[in-house]
Amino acid sequence: MTGKRANIQRATRRGKRAKNKENTKRAILRAALVLFAEKGFYRTTTKAISRKAGIAEGTLFNYFETKEDLALYFFEQELAGIIEWYDGDPRVKRVALPEKLFAIIHHLLERLAPYEEFIGAVYLRALAPTSKLNPLSLQSQERHLRYLRFVRDILAQAETADEIPPVGDLGAYAFSLFHLAMITYWLQDRSRGKEQTLALLDRCLKLATHVLKKGGWDW
């Protein structure tokens, strides 16, 4: 019984440490995002971030080795937020596939809107082959695979409901590329309320669904 109690206590301590670690990471990210908005991604130093977060610079490096690691964590949190939002909204799950995919991208763009300048800087940084933010890096691939599984499940449900023919993993990859293109367009869109982005998004998704219903996914 004593051994069992000790195991429970160790598990509780591990759980508390993990929770405290996650809380610290989120506090660092919040501080970094404020500074990124004020000074920009490149002009913000790790020293300034640690000071803003109220921790030692050495402590910051225990959580994030570089600002790129902070950016990766930001996108992980945003992806987790999107999945949590989708899973918790039965109304979105009931709509037709084009509206569902529109809602997912639209919701993500709304979440990213306060950090547009930061997102733009990160996307430019991702073009560097050696960057952790590069789509081909292992760090980015881990997050991307989680996103692909999320999209694949949505498309599989549409296949089961006979909304679209079977598209397999290729459908998830195609949508992820489209998603990336829409964010790139969104970053360049200077129309009021990003109306051009939303209009293009709506047209593209409806057209793609129409093509699929006609059996156009034939390779």
Side-chain angles (χ1 to χ4, degrees):
M1 193 70 177
T2 302
K4 183 178 181 181
R5 186 180 297 113
N7 289 336
I8 292 174
Q9 290 175 344
R10 282 194 292 270
T12 301
R13 286 195 295 269
R14 285 196 298 270
K16 287 182 178 178
R17 284 196 296 269
K19 184 177 181 179
N20 290 337
K21 182 177 180 180
E22 187 63 23
N23 287 339
T24 301
K25 289 176 72 173
R26 290 179 179 177
I28 293 171
L29 178 61
R30 286 194 298 269
L33 289 172
V34 170
L35 292 173
F36 291 157
E38 292 175 354
K39 302 180 179 180
F41 181 73
Y42 293 105
R43 292 191 299 275
T44 298
T45 64
T46 53
K47 185 175 183 178
I49 294 172
S50 60
R51 187 184 300 116
K52 184 76 172 177
I55 60 174
E57 191 171 6
T59 302
L60 184 147
F61 292 134
N62 290 332
Y63 293 92
F64 302 103
E65 293 181 3
T66 66
K67 289 188 292 183
E68 289 189 351
D69 292 301
L70 258 170
L72 285 169
Y73 181 67
F74 169 81
F75 286 115
E76 288 169 6
Q77 293 297 298
E78 290 306 303
L79 175 57
I82 286 294
I83 295 174
E84 182 180 356
W85 161 78
Y86 180 82
D87 288 341
D89 192 334
R91 182 190 60 82
V92 174
K93 292 182 178 181
R94 289 194 298 266
V95 300
L97 183 62
E99 297 173 60
K100 195 175 296 181
L101 298 179
F102 177 94
I104 289 171
I105 297 183
H106 186 209
H107 187 69
L108 177 61
L109 293 180
E110 285 186 328
R111 291 175 66 98
L112 297 181
Y115 316 111
E116 185 174 347
E117 184 177 346
F118 163 63
I119 301 300
V122 167
Y123 266 58
L124 286 176
R125 183 74 173 176
L127 296 176
T130 57
S131 172
K132 294 179 182 179
L133 299 168
N134 187 282
L136 298 179
S137 72
L138 289 177
Q139 294 90 337
S140 291
Q141 284 294 313
E142 290 175 358
R143 174 176 49 82
H144 189 52
L145 284 173
R146 185 183 180 191
Y147 175 75
L148 288 173
R149 293 189 186 101
F150 168 61
V151 174
R152 181 67 191 95
D153 287 345
I154 293 173
L155 295 178
Q157 292 167 13
E159 293 170 7
T160 301
D162 291 327
E163 283 192 76
I164 58 174
V167 295
D169 294 345
L170 184 60
Y173 277 105
F175 182 73
S176 71
L177 290 174
F178 171 71
H179 194 165
L180 179 61
M182 288 307 307
I183 292 179
T184 303
Y185 186 88
W186 172 80
L187 287 169
Q188 304 299 321
D189 185 2
R190 296 294 177 263
S191 63
R192 182 178 180 181
K194 302 286 187 180
E195 293 174 352
Q196 292 181 5
T197 298
L198 298 179
L200 178 62
L201 173 61
D202 185 53
R203 289 196 301 270
C204 288
L205 289 175
K206 287 181 178 177
L207 176 61
T209 306
H210 175 74
V211 171
L212 287 175
K213 285 181 177 179
K214 294 294 185 179
W217 204 276
D218 184 7
W219 296 84

